[in-house]
């Protein structure tokens, strides 16, 4: 039997994901839109009011609000991606066994991975897109084209986390590990990858440790573009790191699901 | 007639139920250990990282560095978060899904025992986090006064007040979707209770509203204790939280009676 083309495999699952989205979008409103906005008001506007704004100590930002906002969106992309690839994916594999039933049709592992990750990409595009639109009136963008590139960087960052966590979940049998992943992985990245303060404040060793993390690359790209304060070679390195991580991570996700469900 | 069937005293019942929780929880020790990290990481990130961008804050007439300002707030907020999660998600799971309380009530134990035991268990867990966090504060030199010894009971009081009230609210929930409403209250309380910035960021009636919220009372109480800047409003905070907890406890018992015994 000839293999199903990737395009056909994806198009056959569109109505499935559309139904999922129609039934669940309401519960994502609070976590996707309201909570991040409250963070912007609390940390950016109110706490920012007490910060001495000096572009030299804020990586070129004229105010703490302008500094913190691009980082918060990138960090939020990570959290959305991790949220979508932990419990929901475990449900598809283990609890509801949706994947098992899909594999009983001509669909194959690569179609399932691509469609699930495609759905995550859709969630990232809508979430980060709305977030950036809401931020526009705060006056934190320094050019008209920067926010579009920043938006691309945020979605790319989210996808890097999506593919790696997907691969992790596909190999996982006891979901208690998610709690540890959140507390030892996601949460420290959220706090220390330069979203809330310049990583230079961590000291030399700390700053370099932060710069190795994937989230920092996303935060840095997002901030440089929003502030129109771009060092192009650094941006090139950031993009390269994220793209390599995305490609390798996708392969890791594929082999993970294939080992779990087929071999 | 033998006395072997006499009902348990409430202390015995409490011991039994707390022991049950301990036995179940023993398997999740990784979650227990990492739970302690959360406030510490916030302290390092916001207190020390963002703190380098901020000069000092004035609090009750004293000038204190930003880290000293944030640390007691993290103590209070972690007691709040822990109590909230324990008494909503866990209690809902036991009440609606595994029907644990139905089973317990088939024994001589009562709904009052259930309510007290859940709260005491939550406090044992939360209290150990608070104690560890206070030691971290001490090691970082963020404690200014001997009054800080009372910050541990203060954190327990915050935990008690929120456990009782949140458990009461959980008895009204019908599905997991209701937990969005929990987040809807949790996040604003956490962010706007003068945790990360002084109350002076708010003006007029808004400030008055914030001063009336329970987490704000807890945050200010902890901050007054660790900096040694006590005032009469400290007593107001204590009375407020005690009354809140007792009211919650009263509702929990009545609701559990209505849900499980009728």
């Amino acid at each position: 039997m000839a293999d199903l083309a990737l395009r056909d495999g994806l198009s056959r699952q569109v109505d499935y994901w559309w139904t999922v989205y129609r039934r669940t979008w309401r519960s994502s409103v609070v976590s996707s839109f309201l909570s991040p906005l409250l963070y912007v008001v609390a940390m950016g506007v109110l706490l920012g009011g007490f910060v001495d704004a000096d572009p030299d100590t804020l990586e070129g930002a004229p105010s703490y609000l302008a500094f913190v906002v691009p980082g918060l969106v990138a960090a939020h992309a990570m959290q959305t991606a991790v949220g979508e690839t932990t419990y929901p994916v475990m449900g598809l594999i283990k609890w509801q066994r949706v994947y098992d039933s899909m594999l009983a049709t001509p669909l194959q592992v690569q179609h399932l991975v691509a469609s699930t990750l495609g759905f995550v990409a859709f969630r990232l595009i809508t979430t980060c897109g709305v977030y950036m639109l809401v931020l526009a009136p705060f006056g934190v963008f320094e050019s008209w084209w920067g926010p579009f590139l920043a938006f691309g960087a945020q979605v790319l960052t989210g996808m890097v986390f999506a593919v790696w966590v997907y691969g992790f979940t596909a190999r996982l049998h006891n979901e208690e590990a998610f709690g540890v992943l959140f507390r030892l992985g996601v949460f420290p990245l959220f706090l220390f990858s330069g979203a809330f303060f310049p990583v230079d404040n961590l000291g030399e060793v700390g700053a370099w440790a932060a710069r190795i993390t994937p989230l920092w690359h996303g935060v840095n790209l997002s901030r440089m573009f929003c502030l129109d304060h771009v060092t192009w070679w650094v941006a090139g390195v950031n993009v390269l790191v994220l793209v390599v991580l995305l490609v390798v991570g996708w392969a890791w996700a594929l082999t993970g699901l294939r080992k779990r469900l087929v071999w | 007639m033998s006395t072997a069937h006499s009902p348990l005293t409430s202390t015995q019942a409490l011991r039994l139920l707390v022991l049950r929780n301990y036995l179940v929880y023993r398997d999740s020790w990784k979650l227990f250990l990492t739970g302690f990290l959360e406030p510490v990481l916030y302290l390092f990130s916001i207190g020390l990282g963002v703190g380098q961008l901020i000069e000092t804050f004035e609090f009750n007439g004293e000038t204190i560095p930003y880290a000293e300002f944030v640390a007691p707030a993290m103590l209070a907020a972690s007691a709040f978060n822990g109590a909230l999660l324990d008494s909503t998600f866990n209690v809902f799971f036991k009440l609606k899904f595994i029907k644990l309380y139905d089973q317990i009530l088939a024994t001589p134990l009562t709904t009052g025992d259930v309510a007290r035991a859940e709260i005491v268990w939550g406090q044992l867990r939360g209290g150990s986090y608070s104690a560890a966090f206070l030691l971290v504060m001490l090691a970082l030199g963020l404690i200014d006064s001997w009054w800080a010894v009372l910050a541990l009971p203060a954190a327990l009081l915050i935990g008690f007040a929120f456990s009782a009230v949140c458990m009461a609210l959980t008895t009204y929930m019908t599905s997991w979707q209701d937990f969005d409403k929990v987040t809807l209250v949790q996040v604003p309380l956490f962010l706007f209770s003068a945790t990360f910035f002084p109350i002076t960021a708010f003006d007029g009636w808004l400030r008055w509203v914030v001063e009336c919220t329970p987490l704000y009372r807890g945050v200010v109480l902890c901050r007054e204790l660790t900096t040694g800047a006590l005032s009469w409003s400290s007593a107001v905070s204590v009375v407020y939280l005690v009354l809140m907890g007792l009211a919650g406890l009263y509702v929990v018992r009545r609701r559990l009676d209505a849900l499980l015994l009728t």
Side-chain angles (χ1 to χ4, degrees), chain A residues 27 30 34-35 38-39 41-43 46-47 50-52 57-58 64 176 179-180 183-184 187-188 191-192 196-198 201, chain B residues 31 34-35 37-38 41-42 44-46 49-50 52-55 57 66 180 184 187-188 190-192 196-198 201-202:
Chain A
S27 68
V30 173
L34 211 63
S35 297
L38 290 173
Y39 264 91
V41 174
M43 308 308 282
L46 294 170
L47 178 63
F50 295 95
V51 175
D52 298 317
T57 54
L58 289 176
Y64 184 67
E176 244 174 52
V180 178
R183 281 176 170 167
L184 295 186
F187 190 62
L191 288 175
F192 294 99
F196 289 104
F197 57 89
N201 290 9
Chain B
L31 280 180
T34 51
L37 279 175
E38 216 159 280
L41 290 176
Y42 260 109
F44 277 100
S45 169
I46 310 291
V50 179
Q52 294 181 34
L53 304 169
I54 294 175
E55 296 282 299
F57 278 148
Y66 186 61
D180 290 334
L184 203 58
V187 174
F190 173 58
L191 290 174
F192 298 106
F196 297 108
F197 45 82
F202 302 106

Side-chain angles (χ1 to χ4, degrees), chain A:
Chain A
M1 192 176 69
D3 278 357
L4 190 65
L6 187 62
R7 201 168 48 113
D8 292 337
L10 288 179
S11 65
R12 287 179 189 197
Q13 294 174 74
V14 169
D15 57 344
Y16 168 77
W17 286 109
W18 177 237
T19 311
V20 168
Y21 187 68
R22 264 203 345 244
R23 290 189 185 168
T24 55
W25 69 270
R26 275 180 208 86
S27 68
S28 70
V29 170
V30 173
S31 61
S32 293
F33 303 122
L34 211 63
S35 297
L37 196 63
L38 290 173
Y39 264 91
V40 170
V41 174
M43 308 308 282
V45 180
L46 294 170
L47 178 63
F50 295 95
V51 175
D52 298 317
D54 177 359
D56 286 340
T57 54
L58 289 176
E59 298 182 357
S63 69
Y64 184 67
L65 179 67
F67 172 86
V68 80
V69 154
L72 280 179
V73 190
H76 184 56
M78 165 184 77
Q79 282 166 319
T80 305
V82 175
E84 289 289 339
T85 46
T86 46
Y87 294 98
V89 170
M90 201 58 148
L92 294 168
I93 294 173
K94 181 178 163 184
W95 299 317
Q96 295 147 354
R97 299 192 173 268
V98 173
Y99 279 165
D100 280 332
S101 53
M102 285 177 163
L103 284 175
T105 71
L107 292 172
Q108 291 163 327
V109 167
Q110 67 271 24
H111 304 132
L112 307 187
V113 172
S115 77
T116 308
L117 290 172
F119 179 71
V120 179
F122 170 73
R123 286 270 292 118
L124 287 169
I125 288 167
T126 48
T127 306
C128 296
V130 171
Y131 205 161
M132 290 295 274
L133 280 175
V134 169
L135 290 174
F138 283 84
V140 291
F141 300 140
E142 297 288 326
S143 68
W144 67 266
W145 53 270
F148 289 98
L149 291 182
F151 170 66
Q154 292 147 9
V155 174
L156 176 63
T157 309
M159 285 311 290
V160 167
F161 283 94
V163 292
W164 282 97
V165 175
Y166 187 102
F168 173 75
T169 304
R171 287 166 175 82
L172 194 66
H173 288 273
N174 181 1
E175 54 277 7
E176 244 174 52
F178 287 147
V180 178
L181 173 76
F182 286 121
R183 281 176 170 167
L184 295 186
V186 176
F187 190 62
L189 281 177
F190 174 59
L191 288 175
F192 294 99
S193 289
F196 289 104
F197 57 89
V199 290
D200 288 335
N201 290 9
L202 289 169
E204 202 168 330
V205 179
W208 277 106
R211 287 193 190 103
I212 296 173
T213 65
L215 183 57
W216 176 79
H217 292 276
V219 166
N220 195 50
L221 275 176
S222 179
R223 180 172 298 131
M224 286 197 302
F225 290 136
C226 285
L227 296 177
D228 193 12
H229 198 260
V230 187
T231 312
W232 286 101
W233 74 266
V234 178
V237 172
N238 291 156
V239 172
L240 186 69
V241 169
L242 291 173
V243 169
V244 169
L245 282 174
L246 180 68
V247 172
V248 178
W250 197 293
W252 151 262
L254 267 179
T255 53
L257 194 68
R258 193 164 282 138
K259 274 182 194 154
R260 178 74 172 264
L261 294 178
V262 184
W263 291 342

Side-chain angles (χ1 to χ4, degrees), chain B residues 54-78:
Chain B
I54 294 175
E55 296 282 299
T56 49
F57 278 148
E58 188 104 339
F59 179 68
N60 283 7
E62 290 182 28
T63 306
I64 52 176
Y66 186 61
E68 260 180 61
F69 178 86
V70 168
M74 291 302 104
L75 175 71
S78 106

